[in-house]
Amino acid sequence: MVLTGPPQRESVSMVKRASMLDQHKKSSCARVRVAVRLRPYMEEKEEDKVPTACVRGLDSHSLEIVNWRNQLETMQYQFDAFYGDSASQREIYMGSVCHILPHLLIGQNASVFAYGPTGAGKTHTMLGNPDQPGVIPRAVRELLQMTRMAASAPENENWTYTITMSYVEIYQEKVMDLLEPKNKDLPIREDKDHNILIPGVTLKTINSFGDFDEHFIPASQNRTVASTKLNDRSSRSHAVLLIKVQKSQQVAPFRQLIGKLYLIDLAGSEDNRRTGNQGIRLKESGAINSSLFTLSKVVDALNQGLPRIPYRDSKLTRLLQDSLGGSAHSVMITNIAPEQTYYFDTLTALNFAAKSKQIINKPFSRETTQTVAAQPAMKRPREEAEATTSSRQRKKSKTDSTESSPNSSMESTGKRKLNLASLDSAVVERLLKLDKILTEKGKKEAQLLSTPKRERMALLKKWEESQMEIERLKEKQKELEQKAMEAEARLEKSNNSDLSDSSVSENTFRAPLRGRNTSTAKVKKVLRVLPMQGNSQLQSTIEEGIPVFEKKKKKQVTCDGHENQPTWEMNMRTDLLESGKERILKLLNTGSVKELKSLQRIGDKKAKLIIGWREVNGLFKNVEELECLEGISAKQVSSFIKANILSSISS
């Protein structure tokens, strides 16, 4: 393909327009252009049956489709371009695609993506065949020729052009690198300038169309395809080819313009009842339909002007973020089929295309500038070391002089004072905010920031080691505490077993050593159960315990008259029991709802029942009268008394 004079003049005019955009720094609005391509009739023709199409074209911009509600009516659609079943690949490329390529030379983005149901000819439109190349080979070939002609133009004498490519597929919501199949499930990120990028993706530099074929053809064979009832080679993933054009200036101010071209072949929506998908094919179909549904939600949100656009709900919409509602010149080629069996798929595709043409993008040129020219030769290591040392010495002497003579520092600061009147108002505002931040918060980090890097790293390392040592000591302390508690438990168990056959003596229980504190926890009062012999009085008490229960031996006699081994019966001390009952009875007769609720096992409901019973029947004569209340048994009263007595003793 050879370009004539007019396209060259067009590229030159585009460069001039880029300079105007740079001067005004305003982004122009561009609507998403939508073209519809009708595939030829593919079903086998029977002898007695005339093929009937559900859609037909009216002119180069409009078409009509049968209304499924009323077969006698039709619905008309208007698009930027309509290509019938006899349109060639060249007509589609020249009519809808070639006009967006010059934008890449001025640092703007562009995208072309094919949409439609499965079997409608999307892959053929984008790739084509050796006899009829599709959009992708034609666009790459023309872009290479445009960059060569632009580089040879007199006004671009100091400019160079570099073209790189990357090729990925989105298979089951995973980004796969087709140029390097080992790179699987790559992430999608957004930089500080809101540019969508794929870290870790393979980039190949292309200088000719032969270089492109060398990388693209093997990568295309790595794409996932499979056979279904509707298509022998059905695409099971979305393929995205990224062509990056970088225009660099070789002299000051070293400007750099970067434009990206996205060429996207979407997988078609599928009706599993017609495709017969099962197993892995059914899972692939679900992922494809889910991503296309998210794409439809994005288009609806953009048309409705919603504050949140669901780009992040799918990997596909995340990559298309720049193409739909972003900063790219976008062209969508909607592929449809004429057969009646494809009627609802065709109708859905046309409705989606009609919504997409209302989306407005805001393209702008991406330019970076280097104010200081790079040195042609790198400094030698010795020279760099000397320069670094001298700069450190100058900084140190400057710091010493500032500390010794604050007046001189103020004078030097006054000499370096900027002339704010000559600056832009926005720049002045940013400088004042920065000065305020440095004044208020900068002093907190001054001590660490003023430390040399080597010393700062040593301090950080020492701090980390100290933190690790503290953690080790804490773990060791926990182990020692655990061992001490286990030893104390074993000692108590052995002492209790010895006391089961004999009385308690003062030397039986040993209190913890006063000089060895194995735990930092506070010493808690422990309720200990001490065995008693007969009705004898308590012989000894424990230094940190309170005797509550009495143990009595009880003989058991069998039916034969033989005595079994004696068992122990647990009884609460009578003095504690009587005093506890008196305290509870006093509270039952005089306490309010709040005071009654302070008792164990008395809630709001029971407290109100007690007050109501007291108003009707008078004061309680004993605690056991609580059995008269509704829902309280004798067993509950007994446990209530013991619980409150133990609670008062422990407190």
Side-chain angles (χ1 to χ4, degrees), residues 629-648:
L629 297 178
E630 182 181 358
I632 301 179
S633 62
K635 187 176 181 180
Q636 291 177 343
V637 172
S638 177
S639 62
F640 160 75
I641 294 172
K642 292 180 180 180
N644 282 279
I645 292 174
L646 292 176
S647 175
S648 62

Side-chain angles (χ1 to χ4, degrees), residues 314-536:
S314 172
K315 295 289 182 66
L316 173 63
T317 52
R318 188 69 168 141
L319 276 179
L320 290 177
Q321 181 172 347
D322 197 39
S323 304
L324 298 174
S327 59
H329 299 270
S330 300
V331 175
M332 185 178 77
I333 303 176
T334 306
N335 293 263
I336 58 176
E339 291 84 3
Q340 287 287 346
T341 55
Y342 282 86
Y343 175 80
F344 287 103
D345 293 331
T346 299
L347 182 62
T348 303
L350 291 176
N351 289 334
F352 178 79
K355 293 186 296 183
S356 299
K357 72 176 184 179
Q358 302 175 15
I359 299 175
I360 303 297
N361 293 344
K362 295 182 179 180
F364 61 89
S365 297
R366 290 164 174 79
E367 178 182 339
T368 58
T369 304
Q370 297 180 4
T371 55
V372 181
Q375 295 292 337
M378 298 296 294
K379 291 184 178 180
R380 290 178 294 179
R382 183 177 178 182
E383 294 177 353
E384 289 185 354
E386 292 177 356
T388 306
T389 305
S390 60
S391 62
R392 289 181 179 177
Q393 292 177 354
R394 286 196 299 271
K395 289 181 180 179
K396 185 175 181 180
S397 61
K398 182 178 178 180
T399 306
D400 296 338
S401 62
T402 304
E403 294 177 355
S404 60
S405 57
N407 295 332
S408 60
S409 64
M410 293 296 292
E411 294 176 1
S412 60
T413 306
K415 293 179 181 178
R416 295 194 305 269
K417 187 175 180 180
L418 295 175
N419 186 9
L420 299 181
S422 62
L423 298 177
D424 189 9
S425 58
V427 177
V428 172
E429 184 178 357
R430 293 184 63 182
L431 288 174
L432 293 176
K433 289 182 179 179
L434 181 60
D435 181 72
K436 184 178 179 181
I437 292 173
L438 293 175
T439 303
E440 295 177 354
K441 301 181 179 180
K443 296 181 180 180
K444 297 180 181 179
E445 303 293 336
Q447 184 175 0
L448 184 59
L449 291 176
S450 61
T451 308
K453 182 178 180 181
R454 184 176 298 176
E455 297 180 9
R456 186 165 65 250
M457 296 300 293
L459 289 174
L460 291 175
K461 185 177 180 181
K462 188 176 180 181
W463 180 81
E464 291 176 357
E465 292 177 353
S466 63
Q467 292 295 321
M468 294 174 64
E469 183 66 23
I470 291 172
E471 294 295 331
R472 285 196 295 268
L473 292 175
K474 287 182 178 179
E475 293 178 359
K476 190 174 181 180
Q477 182 181 5
K478 289 181 179 179
E479 293 177 359
L480 294 174
E481 291 178 359
Q482 186 67 22
K483 290 180 180 179
M485 293 175 64
E486 291 175 358
E488 185 180 357
R490 287 195 299 268
L491 182 61
E492 289 178 2
K493 187 176 181 181
S494 62
N495 292 336
N496 289 335
S497 62
D498 294 336
L499 287 173
S500 61
D501 298 326
S502 60
S503 60
V504 181
S505 62
E506 293 183 359
N507 297 327
T508 303
F509 293 91
R510 282 182 285 176
L513 295 178
R514 295 299 179 182
R516 294 177 59 186
N517 291 328
T518 57
S519 174
T520 57
K522 293 182 179 179
V523 179
K524 296 182 179 179
K525 291 184 178 181
V526 182
L527 298 178
R528 300 190 183 276
V529 179
L530 304 179
M532 304 291 294
Q533 288 187 356
N535 295 326
S536 60

